[in-house]
Amino acid sequence: MKHFLVLLLVLSSAPVLYSCSFCGDRLASRQLLRERYREAALVIYGKLQNAVAKADGTGTTEFKFTEVLKGDVQSVKTLNIPRYLPIIGDTSPDYLFFCSVKDGVIEPIHGVPASQPLKKYLIKIVQPKKVENRLRIAFEHLGEIDPLVSNEAFLEFARASDQEIAKAKNHLDRTKLKRWIIDSRTPEERIGVYGLLLGLAGEATDAQFFQKLLTHSQPGDRVQSHLGGLLCGLILLDPDGGWKLTQQWIAQPDRNFSDKLNIISVVRYFQSTRQRDAQQKILETLSIVIENGEIADMAIDDLRRWEWWDLTRIILEQYSKPTNKSPVIKRGIVRYALQCPKDEAKKFVDQVRQVDPELVRKVEDSLKVFEKKE
């Protein structure tokens, strides 16, 4: 029992290997119950009882388990949890505990409130080995009334990569997705993801749904905050119309910073998933971003990392523009030029080195540090 809090902290901060482009870091950093199930030697379901608070702020709670979902237990049916977990008001006493077992001693690692529907969902979601099949099960439970189940199902999408989500498109229901997107009860953090899913599973006629939603005179905060996923959905169904709208928006000087970041996320999505089909549109969009200035450094650095050198002339031209005095943008241009294989980039670096050798040296040093980390 003494290792309970330490183990809980370690597992709750487990690293995230990948995540959906439109789910956000907060969701992507959470560990799935399915993963806890896999790591645990023993998973038990039952009820909390006899919670006792101590004067020093600590406490204990008995956990009487009625089902063993994983592992084997001989005679013990009650665990003493070294925490005060009171059942107050309508709070359910039902709990799931994920445990380790050493020398016959059960130690709870992590515990969560767990309804019967959540227990049944967990039993189902741990079975498939293929991500596609897990996402199929998760999608079936996104609309569950029980938020414990619905939230856990959504986490499956938040933790899946864009490529894995695309493979599950045949298991998605476009009618449900459209209903969820416009439903005010849908958690806001899901809007962009549902937009992406509708783009993957939808039909050409669903492009009108996106157009109406995105071009409404007052689209609302729920739409405005999640333009990235919704724009992706439109582009997937109507590439010409979707990219046209995207480029119109990014060219508007009064467009807010959040919108511009959303558009960068759209570009990154298509670069990572549909590079061959979308490369020309991506370059057109990023050329607008670079010439407009505000987030030019992000576009320039993306092109450098991708080793896309098509916009070299446009990028180098930005260095001497009065609107690009920002040190961040200047460093980004020099960084790009140092790694670009084109002769014009080498000539540019030589010119900058004569005028500002310290800048070039610092950028070169930063690239060396980065290469060592790689």
Side-chain angles (χ1 to χ4, degrees), residues 211-279:
Q211 283 281 3
K212 183 178 179 180
L213 198 65
L214 291 166
T215 59
H216 191 279
S217 58
Q218 293 182 321
D221 292 340
R222 288 166 62 83
V223 170
Q224 201 74 32
S225 300
H226 300 280
L227 287 178
L230 296 171
L231 274 174
C232 267
L234 174 60
I235 294 171
L236 286 167
L237 297 174
D238 177 13
D240 290 339
W243 282 113
K244 181 180 179 181
L245 182 61
T246 300
Q247 291 172 7
Q248 285 176 348
W249 282 353
I250 200 66
Q252 294 173 355
D254 58 344
R255 203 80 200 179
N256 68 53
F257 189 72
S258 176
D259 289 356
K260 292 177 181 179
L261 290 180
N262 269 299
I263 290 173
I264 287 292
S265 71
V266 171
V267 170
R268 289 172 176 170
Y269 173 83
F270 282 97
Q271 192 278 335
S272 67
T273 62
R274 296 164 187 258
Q275 181 181 135
R276 181 177 299 178
D277 296 334
Q279 183 166 2

Side-chain angles (χ1 to χ4, degrees), residues 96-229:
L96 265 173
F97 274 99
F98 303 83
C99 310
S100 66
V101 181
K102 185 175 182 180
D103 298 327
V105 178
I106 301 172
E107 293 200 13
I109 299 171
H110 183 75
V112 292
S115 60
Q116 280 284 337
L118 181 64
K119 181 198 69 175
K120 292 177 181 178
Y121 167 77
L122 180 60
I123 292 172
K124 289 171 65 175
I125 200 68
V126 298
Q127 299 304 319
K129 293 183 178 179
K130 290 186 176 180
V131 177
E132 178 183 339
N133 293 331
R134 289 201 296 268
L135 292 179
R136 173 183 58 79
I137 293 172
F139 187 84
E140 292 170 355
H141 290 80
L142 284 174
E144 287 280 352
I145 296 175
D146 188 334
L148 295 173
V149 179
S150 180
N151 292 340
E152 191 65 23
F154 185 68
L155 276 181
E156 288 287 346
F157 284 90
R159 292 292 306 277
S161 69
D162 294 322
Q163 291 80 2
E164 289 168 338
I165 291 174
K167 290 179 181 179
K169 65 181 182 179
N170 293 332
H171 303 304
L172 309 176
D173 185 322
R174 52 186 282 273
T175 302
K176 286 183 178 179
L177 286 165
K178 286 193 288 187
R179 185 172 72 245
W180 291 340
I181 288 172
I182 61 176
D183 190 339
S184 61
R185 295 169 297 180
T186 298
E188 185 178 324
E189 61 196 7
R190 301 187 187 185
I191 301 298
V193 180
Y194 287 170
L196 171 62
L197 298 183
L198 178 57
L200 292 168
E203 300 176 356
T205 55
D206 294 324
Q208 298 173 5
F209 170 85
F210 282 114
Q211 283 281 3
K212 183 178 179 180
L213 198 65
L214 291 166
T215 59
H216 191 279
S217 58
Q218 293 182 321
D221 292 340
R222 288 166 62 83
V223 170
Q224 201 74 32
S225 300
H226 300 280
L227 287 178

Side-chain angles (χ1 to χ4, degrees), residues 334 338 353 356-368:
V334 172
L338 282 167
R353 198 186 301 274
D356 194 345
E358 184 66 9
L359 171 61
V360 177
R361 185 190 64 77
K362 287 182 178 180
V363 175
E364 287 175 328
D365 289 345
S366 69
L367 284 172
K368 290 176 183 177

Side-chain angles (χ1 to χ4, degrees), residues 328-344:
V328 173
I329 294 179
K330 286 188 174 294
R331 285 196 298 269
I333 294 172
V334 172
R335 189 182 303 114
Y336 175 96
L338 282 167
Q339 294 194 311
C340 178
K342 290 191 172 185
D343 289 339
E344 57 189 308

